[in-house]
Amino acid sequence: MRKSLLSAIVIAALALSACGSGGDDDEAAGGSSAASCAPSSGPVNLTYTTWIPGIENVVKVWNDKNPNIQVKVQTGPNGNGGTYQNFFNQLKAGNTPDLGHIEYDALPSFRVQDGLFDAASCDIVAKAKDQFIPWTWNQVSLGDEKSAYGIPQDSGPMAMFYRADLFESNGIPVPKTWEEYAAAAVKVKAAGGYITNFSQSDINQFAGFAWQAGGRWFANDGRQWTVNLTDDKTKKVAGYWQDLIGKKLVSTVPPWTTEWDNAYNSSSAWTWVSAVWGANSIMSGAPKTAGKWRVAPMPQWNAGENVAGNWGGSATAIFKNSKHPYEAAQFALWLNTSEEALALLNKEAQLYPATTAGTKYSYLTNPVEFYGDQKIYEVFAEASTQVTPDFTWGPTMTSTYTSASDGFKAAVSGKGTLSDALTAAQKSTVDTLKSQAIPVKE
Amino acid sequence: MSVTTSAPAGGAAGKIQESLFSRTGAMLVMAVSTLYFLTPIWWLFVGAGKRSDEFTSTNPLWFADFELFANIGDLLEYRDGVFLRWLLNSILYTGGAALIGTVLAAMCGYALAKYRFRGRELLFNVVLSGVLVPATALALPLFLLFSKVDATNTFWAVFLPSLVNPFGVYLARIYATAGVPDELLDAARIDGSGEVRTFFKVATRLMFPALVTIFLFHFVAVWNNFLLPLIMLSDERLFPVTLGLYTWNTQVNQIPELRGLVIVGALLSITPLVIAFLALQRFWRNGLGAGAVK
């Protein structure tokens, strides 16, 4: 019995490996024909991997209208939670989905692995460029005007959420500059609270601050990468927050935890300089404070300026293995520019659009009850036009984030400084680039 | 004389005291460990009963409004009841793999214990070295293999690799050596029973407690095997419950309501494990001891 079972397994394994070699040939043939962006004839089936909650309802609208281009949604954990790693594995195995959800900061790592289809070669994509907020397009063109390694999907323009009631009852003016913000922090501390929570492990918030201040962490001249986590602008931001941390004017609860929510819910943290999607985080994390929050533009480095940072945002990318890049581009454009899709994406997952028209749609101009009926999205629409366009992410952000967040965690507990953390992250990023044979300028 | 009589008495008293002392110490360690292991489960139970806005504002180890059943209702309704599907998948992957895997391990271990053939020890050592290879290290090669045959993102991509269990083979061999007497097998052969029949009718009966142990180990290992489904599957309807809950948990930043569902889901997802352990613990405890003394 055991013998026959064994031989059955062996036979099965042989059969499998035989199919395997056949499948390989097909793939190679398909791969070469998929280089250009030409419409396919006949019905097309596309696969699309994303972790946007409720996306099926959006895709269903497309599928009902386009019987010849059917899109199948696949899902998984968020990008850094495993889906990016899966994409890399699938690139290795040659079975990526046609389309994938990739955050802006991860796009370059897929670009250097040569995993993405340059959608700018599709005329429909090139024509759609003007519909997008310029800086979001810059996030997908990766420094090359004529490229598009994805269609911008959502954005995270930053502004300041603040407790209007607490500022008013304590007679503290709402800060408009970072200098005023630091001054307010002292008064807030005296009133028994913290002006904000400095995110000790999520480096993206800090990146948003650096972005606003004019820090440029990465550059790519087409030949090699420059890493500059320690430029003067970034150092200024690091020094500013180091000062607040040193004086214990900000709390340093780990972000995205229940303690963190509780700090906001129990009124011990008064502001949060965050992205547009933060509106929902406060709403659900701090329900007791309903009606007491307002949104103002984020503090400026120089009075009178109007510069915003960005935190988050993602693109719909087409993978190089896709056999139907034209149809994939059609779908991605519909998903990220049409009013019906954008409205649904906002309803299902609070995505904030990357198109200029999108930020003005009616669902984003309504007063929001939780924020005292303020039309908060108008503030973010304004901010999205104030994000400077030329901020570039590096191709090994995971290792940059890990190194920096280790240093940040140490800094908030008094070991080293934020500046030290950035210096270490600079070094480890350069090392990682070198170890992956990515050309880097020292 | 008084010295000789008092000395043993004192010694005896000292012994009693010492054993009392060590017993209290042992009890204390046990109590602390119990607390240590049960607190998270208690937290989970309490948390699962809370409304989402109560997580942050109420004592994490005590009840607020007890809404467990409403929360379970929400969980089962969310996304067309995909959670139930995940639970069912987990039971299929786990129960199926553990059942077949146990039979395979038992047959293999029994053969290694009871038949003499060339290369037996070598074969056993190869199997044993399989214990040392972590499942996580195998996940990526398996993915590439399954990709070759277009079998990723299918039930089989998770099920087939879960069938083998080298540690089970090791246990089965030890139990079969100790617990299945050669004389009994000879008797069976003389009575005209074939080898297969002897194995299923005689050996498995004797090995039963061991088999339950192997089954449980295998069950828990597959239930907790997270990386393989993570790498293989992208269709939500195929996820086991661990991967499904993890997926939701990574989306909490975006959809904070999910936090509550993840907690209720985690509570429900450990229930089958608890049931399996309680139902099988009688056999399991026997199994652990069997073969230890001969």
Side-chain angles (χ1 to χ4, degrees):
Chain A
M1 157 111 194
R2 187 166 152 266
K3 221 175 212 170
S4 61
L5 193 78
L6 245 180
S7 54
I9 291 170
V10 170
I11 289 167
L14 283 176
L16 289 180
S17 59
C19 316
S21 50
D24 238 14
D25 299 343
D26 296 349
E27 256 159 39
S32 58
S33 69
S36 67
C37 190
S40 309
S41 54
V44 166
N45 288 304
L46 299 171
T47 48
Y48 170 35
T49 298
T50 172
W51 58 92
I52 300 170
I55 188 87
E56 310 81 14
N57 299 331
V58 189
V59 172
K60 190 175 178 301
V61 175
W62 166 270
N63 282 343
D64 288 346
K65 279 192 192 167
N66 296 276
N68 278 327
I69 308 174
Q70 291 290 299
V71 178
K72 183 166 181 273
V73 173
Q74 304 183 327
T75 190
N78 69 12
N80 289 317
T83 294
Y84 292 151
Q85 192 52 50
N86 282 351
F87 284 158
F88 285 120
N89 294 343
Q90 288 157 357
L91 278 172
K92 232 175 271 171
N95 60 0
T96 51
D98 295 281
L99 298 128
H101 180 76
I102 300 180
E103 287 152 300
Y104 294 139
D105 57 355
L107 270 176
S109 52
F110 286 94
R111 171 74 189 104
V112 297
Q113 301 278 337
D114 198 23
L116 301 176
F117 176 77
D118 181 359
S121 63
C122 304
D123 54 346
I124 46 171
V125 173
K127 270 185 224 147
K129 180 179 171 182
D130 294 339
Q131 297 183 38
F132 291 91
I133 300 167
W135 73 264
T136 64
W137 194 264
N138 215 64
Q139 293 286 302
V140 299
S141 68
L142 305 181
D144 176 3
E145 278 286 290
K146 291 188 191 69
S147 297
Y149 295 99
I151 309 296
Q153 179 158 65
D154 66 315
S155 61
M158 292 171 83
M160 181 176 71
F161 297 93
Y162 69 100
R163 285 288 299 275
D165 60 324
L166 293 175
F167 275 96
E168 193 177 313
S169 65
N170 287 282
I172 304 171
V174 177
K176 290 196 169 59
T177 64
W178 286 112
E179 204 182 326
E180 290 174 19
Y181 191 80
V186 178
K187 293 180 190 156
V188 172
K189 184 75 188 286
Y194 287 107
I195 190 147
T196 193
N197 178 55
F198 180 77
S199 170
Q200 55 165 293
S201 57
D202 193 331
I203 305 306
N204 275 293
Q205 183 189 31
F206 184 83
F209 294 153
W211 188 333
Q212 181 211 20
R216 295 294 173 259
W217 287 3
F218 293 89
N220 178 11
D221 61 5
R223 276 187 320 115
Q224 58 181 359
W225 288 85
T226 313
V227 184
N228 208 352
L229 294 168
T230 49
D231 61 9
D232 293 344
K233 310 275 177 50
T234 307
K235 269 193 180 152
K236 176 173 73 176
V237 179
Y240 177 85
W241 287 99
Q242 185 64 48
D243 186 47
L244 293 183
I245 294 167
K247 292 178 181 157
K248 301 207 180 322
L249 295 175
V250 293
S251 66
T252 51
V253 182
W256 320 119
T257 57
T258 45
E259 302 116 277
W260 187 87
D261 280 344
N262 200 34
Y264 285 95
N265 203 24
S266 62
S267 303
S268 92
W270 290 22
T271 75
W272 189 29
V273 182
S274 177
V276 54
W277 42 261
N280 193 47
S281 308
I282 299 182
M283 255 191 266
S284 59
K288 274 203 268 179
T289 57
K292 295 172 180 165
W293 291 88
R294 297 290 182 278
V295 181
M298 71 190 284
Q300 300 293 315
W301 287 103
N302 299 307
E305 272 181 2
N306 290 305
V307 187
N310 175 71
W311 181 2
S314 52
T316 312
I318 303 168
F319 283 102
K320 201 154 202 174
N321 296 329
S322 172
K323 293 194 173 80
H324 308 288
Y326 182 83
E327 286 74 16
Q330 270 186 302
F331 168 72
L333 282 174
W334 172 84
L335 184 69
N336 298 319
T337 62
S338 78
E339 181 166 0
E340 58 183 337
L342 290 177
L344 265 174
L345 283 172
N346 188 262
K347 175 170 163 270
E348 299 282 348
Q350 285 93 37
L351 291 195
Y352 190 74
T355 61
T356 320
T359 60
K360 301 194 175 66
Y361 289 145
S362 57
Y363 60 89
L364 288 174
T365 48
N366 293 331
V368 183
E369 202 183 335
F370 186 89
Y371 294 92
D373 285 331
Q374 187 190 353
K375 295 176 173 177
I376 59 166
Y377 291 106
E378 292 185 346
V379 180
F380 290 104
E382 192 68 23
S384 74
T385 64
Q386 297 165 352
V387 178
T388 46
D390 57 341
F391 189 92
T392 309
W393 299 102
T396 55
M397 288 316 293
T398 324
S399 93
T400 307
Y401 287 149
T402 311
S403 168
S405 85
D406 286 350
F408 273 30
K409 278 182 225 157
V412 301
S413 59
K415 296 183 213 88
T417 62
L418 299 179
S419 204
D420 294 344
L422 291 164
T423 309
Q426 164 84 18
K427 184 177 178 309
S428 92
T429 305
V430 171
D431 290 348
T432 312
L433 286 168
K434 277 195 212 154
S435 74
Q436 298 192 8
I438 300 168
V440 56
K441 189 152 87 189
E442 293 214 45
Chain B
M1 181 152 175
S2 67
V3 173
T4 48
T5 49
S6 70
K15 238 178 210 165
I16 289 168
Q17 252 171 10
E18 187 188 79
S19 78
L20 251 180
F21 180 75
S22 65
R23 187 185 278 199
T24 335
M27 289 305 273
L28 202 69
V29 171
M30 294 274 278
V32 170
S33 321
T34 311
L35 205 66
Y36 178 79
F37 287 114
L38 287 184
T39 307
I41 297 176
W42 175 248
W43 177 89
L44 190 62
F45 182 65
V46 168
K50 285 183 183 173
R51 286 200 323 268
S52 60
D53 59 326
E54 291 170 342
F55 289 129
T56 58
S57 51
T58 58
N59 181 346
L61 291 180
W62 198 247
F63 301 100
D65 296 343
F66 191 74
E67 297 279 352
L68 180 61
F69 296 104
N71 287 346
I72 292 180
D74 288 348
L75 173 72
L76 298 186
E77 264 174 35
Y78 187 69
R79 295 175 65 98
D80 302 333
V82 76
F83 179 82
L84 268 187
R85 173 84 192 220
W86 292 342
L87 214 52
L88 187 72
N89 288 343
S90 267
I91 290 171
L92 280 180
Y93 289 128
T94 316
L99 210 60
I100 300 177
T102 304
V103 174
L104 286 176
M107 292 195 292
C108 196
Y110 171 79
L112 286 169
K114 291 298 165 195
Y115 297 109
R116 272 162 243 292
F117 52 91
R118 262 162 62 104
R120 178 170 78 154
E121 290 311 310
L122 180 73
L123 194 65
F124 181 63
N125 287 333
V126 170
V127 171
L128 204 55
S129 65
V131 177
L132 302 175
V133 182
T136 45
L138 291 175
L140 184 56
L142 279 171
F143 172 78
L144 295 175
L145 278 175
F146 275 83
S147 295
K148 281 266 182 207
V149 295
D150 269 339
T152 55
N153 200 19
T154 60
F155 174 81
W156 302 105
V158 174
F159 188 74
L160 287 180
S162 305
L163 288 181
V164 288
N165 176 9
F167 188 63
V169 175
Y170 169 75
L171 283 181
R173 179 183 182 175
I174 291 185
Y175 286 129
T177 309
V180 185
D182 287 336
E183 297 82 354
L184 207 59
L185 297 182
D186 289 338
R189 282 179 192 127
I190 291 168
D191 287 346
S193 161
E195 292 299 324
V196 173
R197 191 184 148 110
T198 311
F199 171 74
F200 281 105
K201 294 281 173 199
V202 181
T204 51
R205 300 283 157 84
L206 291 168
M207 289 166 73
F208 190 69
L211 297 187
V212 174
T213 311
I214 295 171
F215 178 84
L216 267 180
F217 272 123
H218 201 145
F219 191 90
V220 175
V222 179
W223 190 274
N224 290 333
N225 187 356
F226 169 74
L227 196 69
L228 187 71
L230 171 69
I231 286 184
M232 290 288 186
L233 303 176
S234 50
D235 181 353
E236 189 181 53
R237 311 289 294 174
L238 292 174
F239 284 3
V241 71
T242 41
L243 178 58
L245 288 177
Y246 173 74
T247 300
W248 281 359
N249 200 35
T250 66
Q251 296 169 350
V252 162
N253 288 357
Q254 219 163 355
I255 305 284
E257 298 84 64
L258 282 175
R259 184 174 287 154
L261 297 185
V262 169
I263 292 175
V264 185
L267 180 70
L268 290 195
S269 78
I270 60 169
T271 325
L273 280 184
V274 173
I275 291 173
F277 261 87
L278 291 183
L280 297 175
Q281 72 155 338
R282 189 161 56 92
F283 305 103
W284 185 58
R285 282 193 312 208
N286 284 346
L288 271 186
V293 183
K294 174 147 192 204

